Amino acid sequence: MAVSKKTWISAWSLLVIAGLLNGCGGGSSSEPSRGSAPQSRNQNTTIIKARANFFPFGNPFISDAQAIESGKQIDLSFCGDSFFEVNRDIASSALIDGPRELENRIDDIPKYPVVIPGKDSTFIVSSNQPNEVEVLAAQELQGYVFKMTGRTLPIVSERGINPNIKTQMLYIHIGATEASKAEGLPDELIRDEGIQIKTFEGPDHNYLFLTGRSGFGTLFAVYTFLEKIAGVRWYLPGEIGEHIPKQSEFLIPEISVIENPSFESRQMSGFFEGDDRRWLWKNKMSSPKHILQFSHNMLHIFKPSKYKQTRPDIFPIQSQSFIGPKRYIPIDDTDPRWHPVMTNKFVQDESFRKANEHFSKDPKAKSFSLGMNDGYIYDEASDVPAYNPQKLKNSIGNTHLTDLLFDFASNVGCKVHQQFPDKLIGTLAYQEAHDPPNKPVSVNVVPFLTYDRAMWRDRLLAFKEKNRAAAWLQKAKYLGIYDYYYGASYLVPRFYPHLIDSSIKFYADFGGRVKGYFAEAYPSWGLEGPQLYIASQLLWNSKANVDELLDDFYTNFFKSAKEPMRQYFQKLESLWMNMTPKQERSFKDNARITFHAWYYNGGALQLYTPAAIKELDKYLKTAFGLAATTLVKKRIGLFEKAFRHGKLMALLYNLDQNYFLPIAKVTSKQNATYLLNHLRLFFDLGKQRKILYGEIKQNPILKPRFDYFTQFAPNPQYGYPFKGYKKVIQALKEWAKKNDESQLHTLQQYEVIFPQLLL
């Protein structure tokens, strides 16, 4: 007898700030002008407090006088004195409440066996003309069922099904089969990369449908099924990072589930390896077609090789050249430091033409980037004088040029909107465009707000950044979020999953207003552990419980060694969250001048004191002793090896900063002997580090996705962490010339060798 189907639906709140632009810029006649009396709102209106007056050039937030006095007041974290309005709607979107919610609810529901030992009772069914992603989805399901059970489920097309089979079968339909269409799948509630999983009991056979709005939606439905029903996990790339429960059979509950991702566009960069990229999809990060385009693109639109002879007027004039005003012509097409003259009509017309061409050639494209270049050279003859003649600074110390950049983006975006009303223009709220503009931007322009939310460990910084988002949402219909999850650039673990959780949940609470979430990741898996896995799960489902996700990782990945490994990662998080007063001062000094603290400069090494290192070593040693299988030992070994390299870097840093840097002069033989002994220790540690790093670079999981030591350490822009050893070598050389010349040769060798050991 068929049991009634169950659909589990949880409301997905959308926060919609009142007064959204209905047309380009602020030009819609239905919009009240700034400063006019607000229109009446419905009874669902909610007032949320937002802080004002931390921008040096003026207050971008609406004032108390503009606030609506009706509605319920709710306090967000770190909120302050002035108000902006939101309107809470309940979206007609069905979501599982959490990543473990489905498993928790299926115990008393009838189940269909997927694999019955000794019987071929289950078939994977593809459409008669599947696309390549649907083919991959069927193969992935087949492959993981084999890894779990040792049995291979046949893949057949719909037309290949034998209609004469009388034995009750289970047919797993992948994607847009005729049977799924007959069932009305996918449901109209599903968005582009959303997924649907549904069982159906027919008169002769049972059916499981895994489908989505797109090919990648179908692939994500397969991965969701494997994760939530079969218990498969992809914590790290490659086989060593997979958790695959071994079982002779598993059962499918009678279910009807729809999931839409919390953010339409979910992207992390720096995934260069094949396993890395496959890991992204298995954890349902966006497919290439669904990623919003927003990053540095002006240098690609205006290639100097094409325009420097025919249109030199589009290149910026610098006024501070020692020979007077001079037009900056980039050396080649890769130079990111310049920006075209934004007020130049040809620049605006050509940008529109490029966007128009992009959407005309690819009607399925969702967006086009007008992202500013990654540089600081603007036109000082017309652009800067027109928008900021006094060169006032923004809240992070850059010249405030948001209005210049977003007037340009809106002028182009408005033309695009008139021709392609469903397309978006991605941009960057970055550096000189960090702070909000003074007037609204075109409705199709999506600013991506750049900031390292790991700095939310500081309450004031979190307070400011949350209110920055609130201020931007007064000017833009949509936002994107640009974060920095870097592992490789910090040399030691920077583990902060609860900050990632709080930041993703904060932005998800604005519902459809936050279109995309991007993070520069460049993973160093051995340092970060499950951090990127946690982020990917939350970006798909922001309602997921971070502590449940972490416990799931510790339990499945480390088995009998889970408790000491839990303590290891908790200690890593504590080191980031609970700094000593001295570390806190260093953090805040760096945070004042950047939007990502200790970025490439080695400052995080100071968190790993000898005492902290000793404690972490103890947890790793205990875990290794408790590991009952070779696989678990290999997994612990990954983290131990990566941490050992970070430990050596931290010990070198401790010697350099605390023993060498304070030395101004060698005063005695005893003092010289003391320093020479420490230089020898420095040499030994450096040699160990160099050898170990060579091994790490050969490991496909451990190797950093860029090489800090060759790409960033030699660049003075980033601030190399080791400075004291040069100072003490010089002081010892001066002493040796007068007191013991036999040491000069050794010191000269150190001068040559040490830079090689530290790079």
Side-chain angles (χ1 to χ4, degrees):
M1 181 179 70
V3 179
S4 62
K5 316 298 189 280
K6 294 186 179 181
T7 301
W8 298 309
I9 301 177
S10 66
W12 188 15
S13 296
L14 301 179
L15 293 171
V16 183
I17 292 181
L20 292 185
L21 307 174
N22 295 315
C24 295
S28 171
S29 60
S30 64
E31 262 315 290
S33 62
R34 288 189 297 153
S36 63
Q39 298 173 347
S40 61
R41 271 40 174 210
N42 63 37
Q43 61 184 357
N44 292 327
T45 297
T46 304
I47 304 297
I48 295 183
K49 290 185 175 182
R51 180 70 176 176
N53 293 326
F54 72 86
F55 289 97
F57 57 85
N59 179 11
F61 303 98
I62 64 176
S63 66
D64 287 348
Q66 293 172 287
I68 303 300
E69 296 301 327
S70 63
K72 178 184 176 184
Q73 292 191 8
I74 60 174
D75 284 327
L76 292 180
S77 300
F78 318 121
C79 288
D81 302 319
S82 61
F83 299 90
F84 67 95
E85 290 183 288
V86 300
N87 188 18
R88 286 190 181 273
D89 277 340
I90 303 300
S92 58
S93 176
L95 291 171
I96 295 173
D97 289 336
R100 306 294 160 253
E101 193 71 19
L102 185 53
E103 290 119 316
N104 293 339
R105 292 181 175 183
I106 64 177
D107 290 340
D108 58 350
I109 298 174
K111 301 175 178 67
Y112 308 120
V114 174
V115 176
I116 299 177
K119 294 184 178 180
D120 289 329
S121 58
T122 303
F123 287 85
I124 299 171
V125 182
S126 67
S127 68
N128 293 325
Q129 292 183 314
N131 61 45
E132 60 182 355
V133 182
E134 290 176 329
V135 170
L136 174 62
Q139 292 171 343
E140 287 286 79
L141 178 61
Q142 183 188 57
Y144 278 99
V145 170
F146 177 79
K147 288 181 179 181
M148 286 186 292
T149 66
R151 294 181 62 82
T152 300
L153 301 183
I155 300 176
V156 298
S157 65
E158 268 190 300
R159 67 167 65 97
I161 296 176
N162 184 350
N164 299 317
I165 295 178
K166 301 302 181 184
T167 306
Q168 189 177 57
M169 309 294 289
L170 172 63
Y171 291 111
I172 304 176
H173 283 250
I174 305 296
T177 63
E178 295 303 317
S180 69
K181 294 175 185 177
E183 278 290 299
L185 308 178
D187 192 280
E188 62 182 10
L189 295 178
I190 297 176
R191 295 193 294 276
D192 285 344
E193 291 189 320
I195 65 103
Q196 187 162 12
I197 302 174
K198 185 175 183 179
T199 54
F200 174 73
E201 186 175 344
D204 300 313
H205 307 294
N206 296 321
Y207 299 86
L208 167 66
F209 297 99
L210 303 175
T211 189
R213 181 69 60 198
S214 62
F216 271 92
T218 294
L219 181 63
F220 294 160
V222 167
Y223 289 141
T224 301
F225 168 79
L226 288 169
E227 180 188 15
K228 291 186 166 69
I229 304 300
V232 178
R233 302 286 187 270
W234 300 277
Y235 298 116
L236 273 64
E239 291 187 1
I240 197 170
E242 294 181 336
H243 169 68
I244 303 175
K246 301 294 183 182
Q247 47 199 306
S248 60
E249 66 174 358
F250 68 92
L251 305 176
I252 301 174
E254 187 174 13
I255 54 175
S256 180
V257 171
I258 290 172
E259 284 190 22
N260 283 313
S262 296
F263 300 92
E264 290 182 27
S265 177
R266 307 163 309 284
Q267 184 185 11
M268 296 181 198
S269 65
F271 288 71
F272 304 124
E273 307 295 319
D275 282 345
D276 282 1
R277 292 174 178 173
R278 287 186 284 272
W279 179 91
L280 288 171
W281 290 351
K282 289 170 182 175
N283 285 290
K284 292 175 284 189
M285 299 298 286
S286 284
S287 61
K289 282 287 186 182
H290 290 91
I291 290 171
L292 289 180
Q293 304 300 317
F294 60 87
S295 197
H296 313 296
N297 198 37
M298 298 307 290
L299 76 165
H300 303 299
I301 296 174
F302 297 99
K303 292 185 176 180
S305 61
K306 179 178 179 180
Y307 292 104
K308 65 182 179 181
Q309 298 297 332
T310 58
R311 295 302 306 238
D313 58 306
I314 73 171
F315 296 99
I317 291 177
Q318 294 178 279
S319 64
Q320 294 183 352
S321 170
F322 69 92
I323 60 172
K326 181 181 179 181
R327 194 172 297 279
Y328 181 83
I329 305 295
I331 298 172
D332 56 38
D333 290 348
T334 64
D335 184 351
R337 296 173 294 173
W338 65 284
H339 301 266
V341 181
M342 302 289 183
T343 54
N344 185 297
K345 186 176 185 302
F346 175 79
V347 171
Q348 297 184 12
D349 291 345
E350 185 68 0
S351 298
F352 168 67
R353 190 187 70 78
K354 290 282 190 178
N356 182 65
E357 181 182 72
H358 173 73
F359 292 126
S360 298
K361 284 184 176 179
D362 185 2
K364 292 184 178 180
K366 290 179 167 293
S367 58
F368 180 76
S369 173
L370 288 180
M372 60 194 286
N373 291 340
D374 197 4
Y376 53 87
I377 300 174
Y378 292 86
D379 179 63
E380 296 177 345
S382 55
D383 281 2
V384 175
Y387 282 87
N388 189 353
Q390 296 177 300
K391 296 187 178 180
L392 299 175
K393 302 297 184 182
N394 64 17
S395 61
I396 60 169
N398 296 95
T399 302
H400 174 58
L401 293 174
T402 306
D403 294 310
L404 165 67
L405 289 156
F406 279 86
D407 270 9
F408 164 77
S410 290
N411 288 336
V412 177
C414 190
K415 293 178 182 178
V416 172
H417 184 68
Q418 291 167 358
Q419 193 154 341
F420 302 97
D422 61 333
K423 306 300 184 183
L424 298 174
I425 298 295
T427 57
L428 284 163
Y430 173 65
Q431 300 285 30
E432 293 80 14
H434 183 84
D435 298 338
N438 288 318
K439 59 184 180 181
V441 301
S442 180
V443 291
N444 60 339
V445 171
V446 184
F448 272 71
L449 275 59
T450 62
Y451 197 78
D452 180 2
R453 278 99 192 157
M455 298 208 296
W456 282 18
R457 58 167 303 282
D458 181 276
R459 293 170 62 88
L460 179 59
L461 294 176
F463 170 93
K464 287 184 176 182
E465 184 59 22
K466 289 180 179 181
N467 284 280
R468 175 182 170 230
W472 268 100
L473 280 169
Q474 292 299 318
K475 307 300 182 183
K477 182 177 182 180
Y478 300 118
L479 289 184
I481 301 304
Y482 191 123
D483 213 326
Y484 298 83
Y485 289 167
Y486 275 99
S489 65
Y490 286 87
L491 303 173
V492 285
R494 191 175 72 132
F495 190 65
Y496 55 100
H498 288 85
L499 287 180
I500 288 176
D501 176 63
S502 64
S503 61
I504 288 175
K505 282 178 166 56
F506 173 78
Y507 294 114
D509 277 345
F510 290 104
R513 298 293 304 286
V514 178
K515 283 283 187 182
Y517 211 112
F518 171 88
E520 288 188 35
Y522 295 90
S524 183
W525 297 102
L527 296 179
E528 299 161 312
Q531 186 150 280
L532 297 183
Y533 168 76
I534 299 296
S536 68
Q537 295 297 301
L538 291 164
L539 290 172
W540 177 265
N541 177 11
S542 64
K543 296 178 182 295
N545 184 298
V546 65
D547 291 312
E548 290 180 7
L549 289 169
L550 286 166
D551 185 68
D552 181 82
F553 167 72
Y554 300 136
T555 300
N556 292 329
F557 207 65
F558 299 115
K559 309 292 185 183
S560 57
K562 69 176 183 179
E563 287 309 321
M565 290 307 294
R566 185 197 309 273
Q567 291 172 304
Y568 171 78
F569 283 104
Q570 287 176 342
K571 179 62 178 180
L572 296 183
E573 186 171 17
S574 175
L575 290 174
W576 183 256
M577 297 299 295
N578 304 307
M579 296 181 189
T580 66
K582 182 180 178 181
Q583 294 165 353
E584 194 75 54
R585 286 193 298 272
S586 173
F587 171 84
K588 289 183 177 178
D589 286 345
N590 194 250
R592 287 191 189 101
I593 58 173
T594 183
F595 48 86
H596 35 38
W598 293 332
Y599 185 58
Y600 299 125
N601 69 7
L605 291 169
Q606 65 190 280
L607 302 180
Y608 288 81
T609 63
I613 289 170
K614 184 177 180 180
E615 183 178 349
L616 290 162
D617 276 340
K618 180 187 72 174
Y619 296 140
L620 290 169
K621 184 177 180 180
T622 302
F624 198 81
L626 290 173
T629 67
T630 301
L631 177 60
V632 172
K633 288 181 179 180
K634 285 182 178 179
R635 289 170 172 172
I636 296 169
L638 285 175
F639 297 113
E640 187 280 329
K641 195 166 196 174
F643 178 67
R644 196 181 344 139
H645 181 267
K647 172 174 68 175
L648 289 169
M649 288 295 295
L651 292 172
L652 286 164
Y653 182 86
N654 179 57
L655 279 170
D656 189 79
Q657 296 292 305
N658 297 323
Y659 290 84
F660 299 157
L661 197 60
I663 299 299
K665 185 178 181 180
V666 178
T667 57
S668 66
K669 182 175 178 60
Q670 182 181 10
N671 186 212
T673 301
Y674 173 85
L675 292 171
L676 282 166
N677 287 337
H678 280 78
L679 279 176
R680 292 188 188 99
L681 176 59
F682 196 77
F683 172 79
D684 289 340
L685 292 173
K687 188 176 179 180
Q688 291 178 48
R689 187 217 68 79
K690 186 81 170 180
I691 293 170
L692 181 59
Y693 192 65
E695 296 174 6
I696 285 173
K697 288 197 294 184
Q698 300 303 313
N699 187 301
I701 297 292
L702 291 182
K703 68 177 181 180
R705 272 37 183 182
F706 62 67
D707 192 329
Y708 170 87
F709 295 97
T710 59
Q711 292 179 259
F712 293 97
N715 190 334
Q717 172 187 348
Y718 298 109
Y720 193 53
F722 300 111
K723 301 178 177 68
Y725 79 88
K726 294 180 179 180
K727 186 177 177 183
V728 81
I729 287 174
Q730 188 58 38
L732 280 167
K733 282 174 67 178
E734 292 176 4
W735 177 85
K737 287 175 184 177
K738 298 177 181 178
N739 299 280
D740 187 356
E741 291 188 355
S742 65
Q743 298 294 341
L744 283 174
H745 179 68
T746 300
L747 292 167
Q748 289 166 352
Q749 284 186 315
Y750 283 162
E751 279 186 307
V752 175
I753 294 172
F754 280 177
Q756 298 174 20
L757 293 179
L758 299 173
L759 290 177

